Amino acid sequence: MAGNKPLGNMIIGVSMDGTQFAQTLDGIKKEIKQAQSAMKANLSVLSSAGDEYATLEAKVQGLNEVMSVNQRQIDALRKKYKDMVETYGENSKEARNYAIQINNAISKQGAWERQLQQTKSRLEELNNTNKSFTSHLSSIGSSLKESQSRANEWSGALAKAFTAPMVAISALGAKVSSEISNISANIQAMTGATAGEARKQGNIAGQVWAEGFGESTEQVGEAVVKIKQNLQGIDDSQLKSVTEKALTLSKITGADIEESLRGVNSLMTNFGMSANEAFDYMVAGAQRGLNKSGELEDNMAEYSQLWAQNGFSAKEMFAILDNGLKSGAYNFDKINDFVKEFGISLTDGRFEKNIGQFSQGTQELFQKFKDGKATTKDVFNSAITDMKNMKNQQDKLTLASSLWSSLGEDNAIKVIQSLNNTNHAFDNVAGSTDKASKALNNTPISKFNKAWRELQLALKPVGDTLLNIGTKILTP
């Protein structure tokens, strides 16, 4: 096979179409996605039933399963990294590629570990609260036996708070009030916000939930925390809109909130765009099938800096990725690796060595590139056009193999030639996220849930009053 590399008496094969290891790794990644999907489904059912304890227990179990599979991925990548170091050297692009994947997998493991510890802490808090409440009820019972006046005080306070027909309504208000209070406490603890800021942001989370977003108040609250931690410059005036968009993107791609925000943050940072623009590109990309391998957010987080540095705009990046996948690229990595390898070939002598095989226009652009007056993108587009115009298929293969090694083999020529095809799919992505949100929330069941949530939120002031009275009565 072309592109094989000798190692002693062995031949190590390298192919753009992927290897048995790549297929194994893809299988592990699919297991991670399946474990995440199963966890989300379980949490959705339990959260809808209002059982916070069971929801938290399910989340602990789900996170453990996800982390277990991800650890297998880390172990497999470390083994492959070691093989690449032994074969090509520690500073080789092959070894660096696996080092990046290892770091990303370890970063995710750390994020899931933090979620796990937070969930366990909340479970412990509930356990302690239940024990304290049971103990307090027992002491109240003893006090009531000893003092009829204490019983009269209890009854009188409750009578002032609500009458019998209001009990169910008050309970709904108390539930929402308690949940939003917990959100505010988490925001303050995890973002360093002041008590006043946290209360305001907790109320914003309640508004987002009432609009029909998220599976539960807990999920919406978690989204607000992650936004504050991952996206810079999002003030309270933007928080509601950004949270709704984050939850929409997560629902469309199946990725968790933090994973989605990593991709969005990378677009914002590397292309200088707003959060709204970044979400619109991500949603439009997913709708075009760019998330077919379940790695849209990961790839944006990992590679958008590469594209920006080489002179591509976000629109051009998405269009090229779309072209590549539609033309048969195995996954995003193959396209990203080609762009990376193309840029390296311009500076390590390979492109210059073969410059005579390209058109006069490409030769002039390459000279401008060396003089700092043209970008990698400029040479990239011109060189690919030249390859399209070559009549002899073998000449194309030989040139591509000389310039880009294994990345120029087999069906990769078809993919490479497609990359600079005209593609207007991402010319106008503005509003993509809002349109997707409306579609998701326009079903009969979504409209019912929204109305039901709005009613509960409207009862929050009643719940606030009830909890305040309860706190005063139960405080010794």
Side-chain angles (χ1 to χ4, degrees), residues 176-415:
V176 172
S177 176
S178 175
E179 290 175 355
I180 292 179
S181 177
N182 287 336
I183 290 173
S184 297
N186 286 337
I187 291 172
Q188 185 176 4
M190 299 173 70
T191 69
T194 65
E197 291 170 340
R199 277 195 300 272
K200 184 177 180 180
Q201 291 161 14
N203 287 331
I204 290 173
Q207 293 168 16
V208 172
W209 171 77
E211 287 290 325
F213 293 89
E215 301 296 339
S216 63
T217 53
E218 180 188 12
Q219 187 190 34
V220 177
E222 181 181 338
V224 170
V225 169
K226 298 302 182 186
I227 287 167
K228 285 294 183 180
Q229 291 175 335
N230 287 276
L231 303 185
Q232 299 298 315
I234 305 300
D235 59 31
D236 288 348
S237 68
Q238 302 170 283
L239 187 57
K240 181 176 181 290
S241 173
V242 171
T243 304
E244 291 173 352
K245 291 178 190 296
L247 290 164
T248 298
L249 176 61
S250 179
K251 191 163 188 176
I252 289 173
T253 63
D256 62 37
I257 290 291
E258 187 159 27
E259 192 175 353
S260 294
L261 292 174
R262 283 179 63 235
V264 168
N265 182 61
S266 190
L267 290 178
M268 293 172 64
T269 302
N270 292 307
F271 294 105
M273 62 176 61
S274 68
N276 288 339
E277 290 174 307
F279 279 115
D280 284 340
Y281 270 110
M282 295 289 276
V283 168
Q287 291 171 336
R288 287 281 297 177
L290 300 191
N291 194 48
K292 69 177 185 179
S293 61
E295 298 176 306
L296 176 60
E297 288 93 342
D298 271 355
N299 274 271
M300 289 301 106
E302 184 175 343
Y303 289 106
S304 62
Q305 182 178 18
L306 165 73
W307 290 85
Q309 287 175 342
N310 283 318
F312 295 92
S313 67
K315 181 177 77 172
E316 291 166 337
M317 175 184 68
F318 275 91
I320 292 171
L321 291 171
D322 187 36
N323 287 339
L325 289 183
K326 295 293 190 296
S327 298
Y330 184 66
N331 57 28
F332 272 157
D333 286 344
K334 307 306 176 187
I335 306 169
N336 289 319
D337 286 344
F338 174 73
V339 173
K340 181 179 180 180
E341 191 67 19
F342 186 95
I344 294 173
S345 75
L346 295 182
T347 59
D348 68 2
R350 279 177 289 163
F351 197 88
E352 187 163 22
K353 183 179 179 181
N354 292 276
I355 191 66
Q357 299 187 56
F358 291 98
S359 68
Q360 184 64 33
T362 298
Q363 292 181 36
E364 291 174 359
L365 276 173
F366 179 61
Q367 185 58 49
K368 288 182 179 179
F369 169 81
K370 292 197 297 181
D371 295 339
K373 297 177 181 179
T375 66
T376 299
K377 179 192 78 172
D378 297 328
V379 184
F380 175 93
N381 285 325
S382 186
I384 290 176
T385 298
D386 287 349
M387 291 192 68
K388 288 180 182 178
N389 293 331
M390 290 181 183
K391 304 300 182 184
N392 190 301
Q393 185 69 14
Q394 187 57 47
D395 288 346
K396 293 181 184 181
L397 287 169
T398 301
L399 178 59
S401 182
S402 297
L403 285 172
W404 309 301
S405 186
S406 62
L407 295 177
E409 296 176 8
D410 306 321
N411 76 328
I413 293 297
K414 176 185 175 184
V415 174

Side-chain angles (χ1 to χ4, degrees), residues 14-175:
V14 183
S15 170
M16 186 173 179
D17 281 338
T19 62
Q20 183 177 358
F21 173 78
Q23 293 167 358
T24 301
L25 189 60
D26 284 342
I28 293 175
K29 288 180 178 178
K30 287 179 181 178
E31 283 187 54
I32 293 174
K33 294 293 182 183
Q34 289 169 355
Q36 287 179 292
S37 178
M39 178 174 67
K40 283 187 177 182
N42 288 334
L43 295 181
S44 176
V45 172
L46 292 169
S47 179
S48 297
D51 191 337
E52 183 182 8
Y53 196 89
T55 302
L56 292 170
E57 285 189 321
K59 189 171 184 178
V60 168
Q61 181 180 348
L63 285 170
N64 279 325
E65 291 173 359
V66 170
M67 291 172 65
S68 175
V69 181
N70 190 54
Q71 186 59 52
R72 284 169 46 208
Q73 177 178 221
I74 293 172
D75 294 341
L77 287 169
R78 280 175 170 161
K79 183 178 184 302
K80 193 63 178 179
Y81 171 74
K82 182 179 179 182
D83 292 343
M84 292 297 102
V85 170
E86 292 176 354
T87 305
Y88 300 104
E90 186 174 0
N91 294 320
S92 66
K93 65 181 179 63
E94 290 85 359
R96 290 199 304 269
N97 180 46
Y98 283 105
I100 290 171
Q101 292 185 60
I102 290 170
N103 289 337
N104 288 337
I106 291 175
S107 175
K108 286 186 180 179
Q109 195 80 335
W112 285 324
E113 176 65 30
R114 289 192 295 274
Q115 286 188 46
L116 181 63
Q117 294 308 318
Q118 290 164 10
T119 306
K120 286 182 175 179
S121 295
R122 178 58 182 157
L123 268 173
E124 185 177 354
E125 181 183 331
L126 283 178
N127 279 328
N128 292 338
T129 299
N130 289 339
K131 290 176 183 177
S132 175
F133 186 63
T134 300
S135 174
H136 207 60
L137 285 179
S138 177
S139 65
I140 289 174
S142 298
S143 297
L144 291 176
K145 289 179 182 178
E146 296 170 3
S147 174
Q148 185 61 42
S149 62
R150 178 61 172 162
N152 291 337
E153 178 186 347
W154 172 269
S155 300
L158 290 179
K160 293 178 182 178
F162 50 76
T163 57
M166 289 291 291
V167 172
I169 292 177
S170 300
L172 280 177
K175 178 178 179 292

